[in-house]
Amino acid sequence: MSTTRRTAPGLRASAAALAALALGGCGIRSTPVPVDAGPAPSRASCAAPAAEEERGPGDGSVRADVFLVCGGTVSAVGRTVAPGGSEQGPAPESGSESDPESGPDARLETARELLRELRRNPSRAEREAGFGSSVPGDLEIGGPVDGDPGGTLRLSRDPGGLPSFALAQIVCTLTGTAAAGRDGSVVLGGPVRDGGGEPPLRYSCTDALRGSPEAAKTAGTPLP
């Protein structure tokens, strides 16, 4: 009786044949080269792009920070805006919330220019970095009405009725600019109706507000 011994090369060949059959039965074709499936999906960077020069040279444009939504928070993005949107700090004041000689019109002009920036669509670079805006496109802003403290800014919608992201964007964009008070905060109210309206409240752009826009709902403090 003879015994047939399989050599090591023979065993390896048989194993390779079985593996090929197994792959074929599963509908998988073997390939001798790696397959490039492309880059893995990536998250939004939330890295603010450089401010784009959208206005002509010599028109007095200035750089200002506007706060946009990205990754569940609001972050500053540089924009080139008209002179009214300058972020040169709070408007000069003397003894009251607004000094007429310093120009309440300048305060309102600054607020309106910055609100326009929040309403407009983010640039391509901003979108690619993951930024967006929750500020309604029809939102307007005006000055104080009779009985308001000086420096009050009134929105065309109640601040408490805005999306929390939108209110956080507005508060953080306006505070610390010429639209704000001496302490860098901003006084916001809603429209005045026949039956009155909610009194304006003071808002500040705190770390909690920037990191958790839901905090905007309770961020306002009553005026003295």
Side-chain angles (χ1 to χ4, degrees):
M1 181 177 179
S2 62
T3 302
T4 302
R5 299 183 58 190
R6 294 188 178 184
T7 62
L11 290 173
R12 286 196 294 269
S14 298
L18 289 173
L21 287 173
L23 290 173
C26 295
I28 302 174
R29 296 183 61 186
S30 61
T31 176
V33 294
V35 176
D36 182 6
S42 60
R43 291 178 135 187
S45 67
C46 293
E52 297 181 0
E53 298 293 338
E54 298 181 351
R55 303 174 189 269
D59 64 355
S61 298
V62 294
R63 182 189 180 281
D65 281 343
V66 298
F67 281 74
L68 301 180
V69 183
C70 189
T73 186
V74 292
S75 303
V77 173
R79 292 268 182 88
T80 302
V81 302
S86 171
E87 57 166 350
Q88 299 302 313
E93 300 175 50
S94 59
S96 66
E97 195 62 30
S98 178
D99 182 357
E101 293 185 1
S102 72
D105 289 344
R107 180 194 299 271
L108 185 54
E109 181 185 359
T110 296
R112 283 175 171 165
E113 179 63 28
L114 291 173
L115 182 60
R116 277 193 289 269
E117 291 295 319
L118 290 173
R119 289 195 314 245
R120 76 178 178 88
N121 292 329
S123 68
R124 178 177 178 179
E126 290 166 350
R127 292 194 305 271
E128 289 177 347
F131 289 97
S133 180
S134 295
V135 175
D138 60 351
L139 188 67
E140 301 289 344
I141 194 166
V145 299
D146 290 342
D148 281 346
T152 298
L153 296 168
R154 285 195 171 270
L155 299 169
S156 57
R157 299 189 191 182
D158 290 323
L162 291 171
S164 53
F165 274 116
L167 184 55
Q169 286 182 255
I170 294 167
V171 169
C172 289
T173 298
L174 296 183
T175 53
T177 72
R182 286 171 294 177
D183 60 356
S185 65
V186 63
V187 178
L188 293 176
V192 176
R193 302 177 180 87
D194 292 340
E198 294 295 326
L201 299 175
R202 186 183 303 278
Y203 296 88
S204 297
C205 184
T206 62
D207 290 340
L209 184 61
R210 288 192 297 269
S212 177
E214 286 298 325
K217 295 292 187 182
T218 57
T221 57
L223 299 173

